[in-house]
Amino acid sequence: MVDPKLDTSRYDPRSLGLKVGLEIHQQLDTRHKLFCNCPTKLVHGEAEEDIFYRRLRPTRSELGEVDVAALFEWRKGRIYEYHAPLNCSCLVEADEEPPHELNREALVIALAIAKALNSKPVDEIYVMRKIVIDGSNTTGFQRTAIVALGGYIDLPSGKRIGIQTIAVEEDAARKAGEKGTVTSYMLDRMGIPLIEISTAPDITSPEEAYETAHTIGQLLRLSGRVKRGIGTIRQDLNVSIKGGTKIEIKGVQLLDLLPKVVFYEAIRQARLLEIREELRRRGVTEEYIAENAVVKDVTSIFKKTKCKIIRKVIKKGGRVLALRLPGFHGLLGVEVEPGRRFGTELADYARFWGGVGGIFHSDELPAYGISEEELAEVYKELSADKDKDAVVLVADEEKKARKALEAVLDRAKYATKGVPPETRAALSDGTTRYMRPLPGSARMYPETDVPPFEVTEDVLAEAEKIKPVHPMVKLEELTRRYGLSKQLAKQLLHELRLDLFERLAAKYSDKVPATYIASIFTNLLRSLRREGVNIDNITDEDIEAIVKALAEHRIPKEAVEEIIRKAAETPSHDINKIIEEVASRRVSIEEVEKLVDEAVEKLKDEIRAKGMRALSKVMGLVMPKLRGRVEGRVVAEIAKKKIQEVLGG
Amino acid sequence: MTSLYGYEGPAAELVKEAGAKPGDLVEVSRPDGTRYRGVLMPRYALSGKPILVIKLDNGYNIGVRVTPGTRLRVIATREEVLKAARRSGAPAVIPLIEEQPPPGPKPRIMIIGTGGTIASKIEYETGAVKPAFSAEEILEAVPEIGFIADIEAEVLFNILSENMRPELWEKIAERVARHIAEGFNGIVITHGTDTMAYTAAALSFALRGLPVPVALVGAQRSSDRPSSDAAFNLHAAVLFAAKADAAEVAVVMHGEPSDSYALAHRGTKVRKMHTSRRDAFQSINSTPLARIVPKENKIEMLMKPLRRRGEEELRLENGFERKVALIKYYPGMYGEIIDVLVDKGYRGIVLEGTGLGHVGEWLIEPIKRAVEEGVAVVMTSQCLFGRVNMNVYTTGRKLIAAGVIPGGDMLPETAFVKLSWILHRVHDLKEVRRIFLENLAGEYNPRLTLRLYPRWPLNG
Ligand SMILES: [Zn+2]
C-alpha cells in the first residue's frame, strides 16, 4: 500500500529519470511595441483610459477541433473587460486595427541573442497566431514567430544544454481582476516584445533547471536590451520522469521557486506511478472501473444534513450526486505533492470540467458537517464496499454535478495508466494545479495581416554588433578590465543593473574606483533592500547622478547611503536636489580642524598615555558631528596631524 | 519564368523538380549542411524571393532560402499526411452549444452569401481560411441563430467587396425578390464591408414596397479568429430580419468596440466611416434605425421605420445605369474632366462639391454644357454632414441656373446609386429631376436636429 503521507526526502530526482525543458520569456526593451507604435511601458496608478467589453468565440479547425477550455469559458458567458490606457495602447491592442509590420528593433535584438546562443537564424520570419482564449489577448491569439533554430548554452558547471527554438512574441495583457463571469485586463503590457527561448529537455535536476534559467537570464541581461524587474521574465517548464508524461507548467515568475516546482512535479509523477502500481496490485483495471462505477442521486440522504455547503445547494434546488470509485479505497487521501492529495487532483478536474466548487471524498470524511451515518448510507446506496471502494460527492446543479463526476471518473480511470498529459499552473508554494488539458496541435495559424520579414545580411550584421557575451566571458572581463575580485565580479553578474555598472565604470572609474561603484550594487542597494527600503524608487539616473557627484568630489562616499535612503522614500524625488542638500552641508577644513582641536584638547591625557592608538577615540568624538559631510579619511588625516602635534609638543 | 504555388524562379523550379505540392511533408537540405523538415506551404508574399515556406512540426512557419545546390525531397504526400492525422484519432466534433433549439414554428430567414467570410473554417494543413456557406456550416459556427429562426442559406457569389458592381446589385435584388415571393420572413445578406453601403442603397431603391426586413451584414475582423465580430453581427442581423417590425433595407453591424449592441442603419443613410473599427458603419444625417442587443435577443427601434411588415407588396424595379460618375471636386480641378465624361456619353454626374455645394466658377460653363447635352448633374457635399444649399452664394445660384440638381442632405454615394437607378428607367431630364427630388427610401432627412453630428467626449 502507498503511504498516504508524503515524505519528500525519499525521492531523488536524478534516479527518477527527470527530464526538464525550459521556456524562458523575457521582455525586450524596445522603443515601441512589436506590432504598433505604442511605447513599451506600463501605467502606474491612475491613468486616463477607455474601457470596452468583448467575448471570445472558440474557433474550429478543419478537423472540427475546438479548444475545450475556450469553449467552456465561452459557454459560461465569460466576458472580458479591457482597460485601454490612452498613453500606452491604441487601436491595435484593442483589435480595432490590423497589426503593423514586425518591429525591426525587436527582431535585431532577438537575432543578437540567438547568435549568442549559437542558434541558426531562419531566412524569413513568419508571424503565426497561437490560439490563447483566456482573454489575455484581445484577438484571442498570441502573435509569435520563430527567428532561429537550434543552438546551445554552456552552464558554469560545464554541462551543455541544447536550445530548440528562439521566437519573438507579443506579451499578453495584464490580468487586473475577476468578478463572477467578468475577467478584466489592462492593455498596457499587451504587445510588448518578448523573446521566447525553448531549451531541449536536457536538464536532469532541479538545481540544473535553476542554473540554466539563471545563465540564460544573465546572458539576456548582458545584451543590455531587455527589460528588468519583476514580471519582465517568466519561465514555463516541461517536466517528465521515466514512465511519466511530459507536463507543461505555466507561469513561474520567481527564479528561486523553479527548483522546487521541478522537484515537486517529479514527485507528483512518481506518486501517481505508485498509485498506478497499487491499483495494478489490487487488480483494478480501466474496464473494472468502467463496469463498477456508479453515479446516484443521493440528495434524500442529506435532507437534514449539518453540512452547510450541501444545505445551501439543496435549498437552491441543486442535487447531491455520489460516485462509487471501485477499488480506490484509501487512494484519494494519498498526498501527491506537499499538501495536495490525489483527491485534490480529482477536485481540480471536477472544477474545470463541471464548473463546480469542489468535491467531497471518502478519504476525508466524515468532516465538513457530513456525518458517519450519512456516509454509511451513501455507501449503501451505491452498493459500495467501505474497505475497497472510494466515494466522491458533488453538490451543485444537477447538470454541473453530473459533468463533474464524469470528469472525476475519467481522471480516476487514467490513474491505471499513470500520469495524464496536462497543462498545470505553478502555485506560490512550488506545487502545481491542473489548469487545462494540453492544447491540441492545431492551435497555430499563419498571421496573414503581417508580411514575412526577410533576414538579410544587413540585419544579421546589425545583430552581430549587439550580440551579448556569455556570462562566463563577462566574468573574466569584469575582473580583468575593472580589477574586481572574482567574488565581487560574480556578485555583480547576478545584478540586474550590470549594464549600468559597466556604463558608469567606463565613464568614472578614473575618479571613483570601479570596486566602489560595484559595491553600490552588490552591497549597499542589497542591504538597504533587505532592510525594507524601497529600492525600486531608485532609477538608473539616480545612481549615475550620485556617482557623478562622487567623481566631482561634491559629496563624500559616506553620504551615499543617506542620499539613497532619502531618494527611495518617493518615486517622484529630485535626485539633484537631494545631492545638493548633502553637498551644501559639507564643512570646511577649518571647521574640521576646530572640531578636532576641541577633541584633542579633551583627550589630551589619554593621547599622551596611548599615543597614536588614541586616534579612534578622537575620531569617535568628532565623526558623529561630521558624518556624511566630509570623508572620514580627511578627518583621520587631520586628527593624526593634531595628535602628532600633541605628542611632539 | 516558372511560377508554382506562389513560388517563382529557383524556388519554383525546385518545387517542380521534386514534384512537391503544398501540404506535402518535405525535407530541404542545403550544401552548408542545414536541413529542415516540415510541411511545404504555398507562398502568399507577393515577391519572387527564392525562399521556401515550411511549416515545422511545432506549427510554426519559417522561410528557407534556396541557395545553389539546395535539395528538396517529398517525404510524404499531403494525402498521406492527412490520412495519418485522421488515423491518430480525429477528435469528435463538439458542438458550441449543447442545447437544441426548441421545436415549434419560427420565422423563416434566408441568408444570401455574396462575399466576405461571415462563417469560415481553417484548413488543417495550410492554415488557410475557407468560407463556410451551407446552412449547416453557418449553424455550426453560430448556433445561436437557430434559436431565433429557421435558417436557410445559399451562396449567390463570392467576391471581394471592392469588386462589387451594379450588375451584381441587380442579381442580389432579383434573388431577394424571389425569396420574398417564396415566403421568407426576412432576408440576411452577407457582404464585404467596403462597398456594403452602396449595395444597401441600391437595394433600398430597387425593392419598392418591401414587405420584410432585409439586413446586410459583414465583419470587420475575419471569422477565423476568436475575436471576430462576424458571429455577433450575424446574430444581430438574423434577429433584425426575423423580429424587427421594420420592412426596409438596413446595414446591421457593431454599435461600439464592445460586444454589447449592434446598430441597424437605414440603407440610404449609412456610410463606412472607419477603415478598421468594428463600429465603422455610421448613420449620417440620421439616427440609426434600431439598436439590437443579441445577448438579450432585444430590438429597440430608434426611429419610425419606412414601412411596417406586410404593409405593402413588393414591386421589384431593378436596373442601374452604368454611365454615371461620382466625382469629388478639388481645388483647381479642370473643366475637361466634365467634358470628357460628356464626350464619352455619360448620362449622369454626381458631384461632391465643397461646403454648401460649390465648385470652382470655371466649372460652371462645362457643367452648363453637360446639362444642355442631356446629362443629369447632381450636387452633394464632401462635408457629408449637413445639406447642400445653393442659394446662399453666387456660385451656388449660378450652378442652379446651369441646371444642377441639389442633393439635399443625401450622401454622395446614395445620390450616385439613386441617379444610376433613375437613369435606367427615365430619360427626360425634367422627369429625372422630379424623381430625384422625391424621398423614395428615406434618403432625405427633411429635419436635421442638433444632435445629428458627432462630437468629442471632452471632460468639463
Ligand atoms: Zn498600440
Side-chain angles (χ1 to χ4, degrees), chain A residues 33 35-39 88-93 190:
Chain A
K33 291 184 178 178
F35 294 107
C36 69
N37 289 317
C38 290
C88 33
S89 74
C90 67
L91 286 181
V92 173
E93 286 92 331
M190 193 181 142

Short mmCIF file of all heavy atoms in Angstrom, two decimals, chain A residues 33 35-39 88-93 190, ligand 1:
data_model
loop_
_atom_site.label_atom_id
_atom_site.label_comp_id
_atom_site.label_asym_id
_atom_site.label_seq_id
_atom_site.Cartn_x
_atom_site.Cartn_y
_atom_site.Cartn_z
N LYS A 33 6.19 48.89 -29.33
CA LYS A 33 5.72 47.51 -29.23
C LYS A 33 5.98 46.72 -30.52
O LYS A 33 6.42 47.27 -31.52
CB LYS A 33 4.24 47.50 -28.87
CG LYS A 33 3.97 47.99 -27.45
CD LYS A 33 2.50 47.87 -27.09
CE LYS A 33 2.27 48.32 -25.65
NZ LYS A 33 0.83 48.25 -25.30
N PHE A 35 3.97 45.25 -32.69
CA PHE A 35 3.14 45.46 -33.88
C PHE A 35 2.46 46.82 -33.94
O PHE A 35 1.51 47.01 -34.70
CB PHE A 35 2.08 44.36 -33.99
CG PHE A 35 2.66 43.00 -34.22
CD1 PHE A 35 2.68 42.05 -33.21
CD2 PHE A 35 3.21 42.67 -35.45
CE1 PHE A 35 3.22 40.80 -33.41
CE2 PHE A 35 3.75 41.42 -35.67
CZ PHE A 35 3.76 40.48 -34.65
N CYS A 36 2.88 47.76 -33.10
CA CYS A 36 2.31 49.10 -33.20
C CYS A 36 3.31 50.09 -32.62
O CYS A 36 4.37 49.72 -32.16
CB CYS A 36 0.96 49.20 -32.48
SG CYS A 36 1.07 49.08 -30.70
N ASN A 37 2.93 51.37 -32.65
CA ASN A 37 3.87 52.41 -32.25
C ASN A 37 3.71 52.86 -30.81
O ASN A 37 4.19 53.93 -30.43
CB ASN A 37 3.73 53.61 -33.19
CG ASN A 37 4.29 53.27 -34.55
OD1 ASN A 37 5.35 52.66 -34.67
ND2 ASN A 37 3.56 53.62 -35.59
N CYS A 38 3.03 52.06 -29.99
CA CYS A 38 2.87 52.43 -28.59
C CYS A 38 4.18 52.16 -27.85
O CYS A 38 4.91 51.24 -28.20
CB CYS A 38 1.75 51.63 -27.96
SG CYS A 38 0.14 52.12 -28.58
N PRO A 39 4.47 52.97 -26.79
CA PRO A 39 5.67 52.74 -26.02
C PRO A 39 5.56 51.45 -25.20
O PRO A 39 4.46 50.99 -24.91
CB PRO A 39 5.73 53.96 -25.09
CG PRO A 39 4.31 54.40 -24.96
CD PRO A 39 3.67 54.10 -26.28
N CYS A 88 -0.50 54.18 -23.46
CA CYS A 88 0.27 53.04 -23.95
C CYS A 88 -0.59 51.95 -24.55
O CYS A 88 -0.28 50.76 -24.41
CB CYS A 88 1.22 52.51 -22.88
SG CYS A 88 0.64 52.66 -21.22
N SER A 89 -1.66 52.32 -25.23
CA SER A 89 -2.37 51.36 -26.07
C SER A 89 -3.10 52.14 -27.16
O SER A 89 -3.40 53.30 -26.99
CB SER A 89 -3.36 50.52 -25.25
OG SER A 89 -4.49 51.29 -24.90
N CYS A 90 -3.33 51.46 -28.28
CA CYS A 90 -4.01 52.13 -29.39
C CYS A 90 -5.01 51.16 -30.01
O CYS A 90 -5.35 50.15 -29.41
CB CYS A 90 -2.98 52.60 -30.42
SG CYS A 90 -2.13 51.25 -31.25
N LEU A 91 -5.47 51.45 -31.20
CA LEU A 91 -6.46 50.59 -31.84
C LEU A 91 -5.92 49.17 -32.07
O LEU A 91 -6.68 48.22 -32.11
CB LEU A 91 -6.89 51.18 -33.19
CG LEU A 91 -7.81 52.41 -33.15
CD1 LEU A 91 -8.17 52.85 -34.57
CD2 LEU A 91 -9.09 52.12 -32.37
N VAL A 92 -4.60 49.03 -32.23
CA VAL A 92 -4.04 47.69 -32.49
C VAL A 92 -4.27 46.78 -31.28
O VAL A 92 -4.76 45.67 -31.43
CB VAL A 92 -2.54 47.78 -32.84
CG1 VAL A 92 -1.94 46.38 -32.95
CG2 VAL A 92 -2.36 48.52 -34.16
N GLU A 93 -3.96 47.28 -30.09
CA GLU A 93 -4.18 46.47 -28.89
C GLU A 93 -5.67 46.18 -28.70
O GLU A 93 -6.04 45.15 -28.15
CB GLU A 93 -3.66 47.17 -27.63
CG GLU A 93 -2.15 47.17 -27.50
CD GLU A 93 -1.55 48.41 -28.12
OE1 GLU A 93 -2.16 48.94 -29.08
OE2 GLU A 93 -0.48 48.85 -27.67
N MET A 190 0.18 44.41 -23.20
CA MET A 190 -0.06 43.65 -24.42
C MET A 190 0.71 44.25 -25.60
O MET A 190 0.64 45.43 -25.85
CB MET A 190 -1.54 43.63 -24.75
CG MET A 190 -1.85 42.61 -25.82
SD MET A 190 -3.58 42.59 -26.24
CE MET A 190 -3.42 42.34 -27.99
ZN ZN C 1 -0.56 50.34 -29.80
#
